[in-house]
């Protein structure tokens, strides 16, 4: 590759597979990444792939891609495509990612990595084999790239909390409270692999392990489906860039959980509790985590995403308490390339940060983080929670 310090930046052709909600978000990030910090490539948004040619073409036009195609496999044969960004439902992650890696394309894949541990294992093995050939892969746990969460990880790594003893992690949403909300793919086990457990529970599992540096080694879990049947989804007539859908008059069975509650042990001894639900009326995107250690504590809430609350146990009781850190200083992870201190970031910025990490890893010929192996670890936790729930919430090793 060319040296960006002495030559024009090398071009990197990108294609996304899938659109709708994540298609809109990732497209925005790909449009932005060349204009933040010191870019390593000149990215070219070559193509967007979907199942329907008309909808893919419309999405490509809307989101700023050169063309829309209805066959993702055709992208693997193109010399102008170097990166495949996988945004499809979980049932196709393994097929697309493995084929792309074997074709020599760098791959970034949305979370959870796969539908099953077996699929995630095959993806990880393919990623390791591809890495030996200089082909990179990354799983898109975007919350790792929130500056306040990056700061939390640094504080723990620096020993500011002492021995990590407890973690409380919640992810609360309410977008399927209405029992007449349609049976979209996220509510079908054969397409998504899991419900709230996989969709948003995967985020808080990864965040807890990332911040603390501890991997979960065993869990006790309970799952619940409150609404057993829903209207089938009507045929789509246009672009859907959110989590909404139109209902038909027919009904079908919900085959995933609406809510998951579980607790487990970290390999460093921490006790961790988790709750993931899409039925918490009034909560829109309440991703929260609190970590308690022997010397201090920290707390984060994504609905106030620029803030981290820190309790320094080394200070005298008479003058102590949780203090608010506004994570917008240039010293905070990912912030230096944005706005002046005090000017907050939003939901879209962590996606740009993860693309910066991904592209930097390609340029530096190293493996990015989080890796497919990290995604596999989370997949093992999700499967252990499911097995525990199926066995009267018995303790289940990972």
């Amino acid at each position: 590759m060319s040296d960006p310090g002495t030559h024009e930046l090398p071009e990197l052709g990108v294609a996304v597979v899938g659109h709708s909600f994540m298609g809109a978000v990732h497209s925005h990030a790909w449009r932005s990444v060349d204009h933040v910090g010191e870019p390593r490539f000149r990215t070219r948004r070559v193509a967007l792939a979907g199942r329907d040619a008309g909808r893919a073409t419309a999405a490509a036009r809307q989101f700023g891609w050169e063309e829309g195609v209805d066959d993702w496999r055709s992208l693997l044969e193109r010399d102008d495509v170097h990166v495949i960004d996988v945004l499809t439902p979980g049932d196709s992650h393994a097929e697309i990612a493995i084929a792309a890696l074997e074709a020599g394309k760098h791959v970034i894949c949305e979370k959870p990595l796969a539908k099953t541990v077996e699929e995630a294992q095959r993806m990880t093995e393919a990623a390791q084999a591809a890495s030996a050939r200089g082909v990179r892969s990354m799983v898109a746990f975007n919350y790792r790239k929130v500056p306040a969460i990056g700061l939390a990880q640094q504080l723990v790594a620096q020993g500011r909390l002492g021995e990590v003893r407890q973690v409380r992690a919640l992810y609360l949403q309410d977008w399927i409270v209405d029992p007449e909300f349609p049976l979209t793919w996220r509510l079908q086990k054969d397409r998504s692999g899991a419900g709230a457990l996989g969709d948003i529970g995967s985020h808080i599992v990864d965040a807890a392990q990332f911040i603390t540096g501890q991997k979960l080694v065993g869990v006790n879990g309970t799952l619940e489906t409150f609404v057993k049947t829903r209207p089938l989804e009507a045929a789509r007539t246009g672009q859907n860039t959110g989590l909404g859908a139109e209902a038909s008059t027919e009904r079908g069975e919900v085959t995933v959980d609406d809510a998951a509650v579980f607790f487990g042990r970290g390999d460093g001894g921490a006790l961790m509790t988790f709750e993931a639900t899409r039925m918490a009326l009034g909560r829109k995107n309440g991703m929260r985590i609190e970590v308690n250690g022997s010397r201090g504590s920290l707390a984060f809430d994504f609905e106030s995403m620029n803030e981290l609350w820190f309790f320094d146990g080394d200070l005298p009781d008479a003058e102590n308490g949780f203090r608010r850190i506004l994570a917008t200083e240039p010293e905070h992870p990912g912030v230096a390339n944005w706005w002046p201190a005090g000017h907050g970031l939003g939901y879209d910025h962590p996606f740009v940060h993860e693309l910066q990490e991904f592209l930097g890893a390609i340029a530096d010929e190293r493996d990015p983080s989080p890796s497919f192996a990290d995604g596999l670890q989370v997949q093992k936790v999700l499967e252990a929670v499911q097995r525990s729930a199926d066995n009267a919430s018995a303790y289940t090793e990972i």
Side-chain angles (χ1 to χ4, degrees), residues 17 49 69-78 95-96 99:
V17 184
V69 301
D70 62 358
D71 182 9
W72 61 265
R73 294 170 185 82
S74 66
L75 302 173
L76 308 187
E77 302 169 1
R78 295 178 55 161
E95 180 185 12
I96 298 171

Side-chain angles (χ1 to χ4, degrees), residues 140-162:
F141 281 116
N142 60 292
Y143 289 110
R144 284 197 186 196
K145 303 305 180 182
V146 174
I149 287 183
L151 176 59
Q153 187 272 337
Q154 289 181 354
L155 291 172
V156 172
Q158 292 165 3
R160 298 289 298 279
L161 271 66

Side-chain angles (χ1 to χ4, degrees), residues 33-222:
V33 70
D34 285 0
H35 310 291
V36 178
E38 298 181 4
R40 311 296 297 277
F41 295 97
R42 179 170 54 87
T43 59
R44 176 184 162 203
R45 300 186 299 280
V46 175
L48 178 150
R51 289 177 294 176
D52 177 84
R55 291 183 63 229
T57 299
R61 185 180 304 115
Q62 179 181 358
F63 298 152
W65 297 84
E66 294 178 10
E67 63 178 301
V69 301
D70 62 358
D71 182 9
W72 61 265
R73 294 170 185 82
S74 66
L75 302 173
L76 308 187
E77 302 169 1
R78 295 178 55 161
D79 293 335
D80 59 347
V81 172
H82 310 101
V83 171
I84 299 291
D85 188 352
V86 183
L87 310 175
T88 57
D91 60 336
S92 57
H93 284 188
E95 180 185 12
I96 298 171
I98 292 172
L101 289 168
E102 291 178 345
K105 312 299 184 184
H106 306 292
V107 174
I108 180 169
C109 182
E110 259 302 325
K111 47 56 48 193
L113 184 61
K115 194 173 69 170
T116 66
V117 167
E118 186 274 333
E119 287 182 347
Q121 182 68 54
R122 289 195 290 112
M123 293 172 73
T124 301
E125 291 170 357
Q128 292 168 344
S131 176
R133 305 191 306 273
V135 178
R136 309 301 165 190
S137 57
M138 180 178 179
V139 60
F141 281 116
N142 60 292
Y143 289 110
R144 284 197 186 196
K145 303 305 180 182
V146 174
I149 287 183
L151 176 59
Q153 187 272 337
Q154 289 181 354
L155 291 172
V156 172
Q158 292 165 3
R160 298 289 298 279
L161 271 66
E163 176 191 355
V164 174
R165 292 171 171 169
Q166 289 184 266
V167 177
R168 260 163 249 98
L170 307 174
Y171 206 143
L172 312 176
Q173 296 180 339
D174 72 351
W175 58 277
I176 58 170
V177 166
D178 183 355
E180 297 306 304
F181 183 89
L183 190 66
T184 65
W185 69 266
R186 295 178 189 268
L187 303 175
Q188 302 169 37
K189 188 176 181 64
D190 61 341
R191 299 200 65 197
S192 63
L197 174 64
D199 184 19
I200 53 181
S202 61
H203 272 306
I204 53 177
V205 169
D206 182 71
Q209 295 185 140
F210 171 66
I211 291 172
T212 65
Q214 295 191 28
K215 292 182 179 180
L216 283 160
V217 295
V219 292
N220 297 74
T222 298

Side-chain angles (χ1 to χ4, degrees), residues 312-389:
D312 187 348
D314 291 339
L315 296 178
D317 289 344
E319 59 187 65
N320 209 352
F322 273 95
R323 60 184 175 90
R324 172 178 171 266
I325 301 172
L326 190 61
T328 60
E329 296 294 325
E331 295 81 9
H332 294 144
V335 175
N337 296 323
W338 293 104
W339 325 125
H343 293 68
L345 303 188
Y347 175 72
D348 55 321
H349 292 89
F351 290 90
V352 179
H353 296 165
E354 71 183 9
L355 292 186
Q356 287 179 304
E357 161 67 12
F358 183 54
L359 296 176
I362 294 172
D364 295 336
E365 299 182 350
R366 61 174 174 84
D367 291 323
S369 177
S371 65
F372 276 21
D374 294 321
L376 172 61
Q377 164 63 17
V378 172
Q379 203 77 45
K380 289 179 178 179
V381 175
L382 303 181
E383 184 177 271
V385 173
Q386 181 69 66
R387 287 189 283 121
S388 173

Side-chain angles (χ1 to χ4, degrees), residues 232-243:
L232 299 182
E233 186 177 5
R236 295 183 181 181
T237 57
Q239 290 303 117
N240 172 16
T241 59
L243 297 176

Side-chain angles (χ1 to χ4, degrees), residues 216-294:
L216 283 160
V217 295
V219 292
N220 297 74
T222 298
L223 305 177
E224 182 58 58
T225 303
F226 298 108
V227 179
K228 310 297 185 185
T229 67
R230 291 182 178 273
L232 299 182
E233 186 177 5
R236 295 183 181 181
T237 57
Q239 290 303 117
N240 172 16
T241 59
L243 297 176
E246 295 182 7
S248 71
T249 57
E250 299 180 74
R251 299 187 72 86
E253 181 186 2
V254 177
T255 52
V256 299
D257 57 283
D258 287 329
V261 178
F262 53 103
F263 65 89
R265 290 276 185 186
D267 57 7
L271 179 64
M272 304 188 189
T273 61
F274 301 85
E275 180 182 349
T277 179
R278 301 186 289 206
M279 302 290 274
L281 191 59
R283 299 298 182 189
K284 302 305 177 183
N285 204 39
M287 186 272 201
R288 307 175 182 179
I289 188 163
E290 180 168 333
V291 181
N292 307 126
S294 59

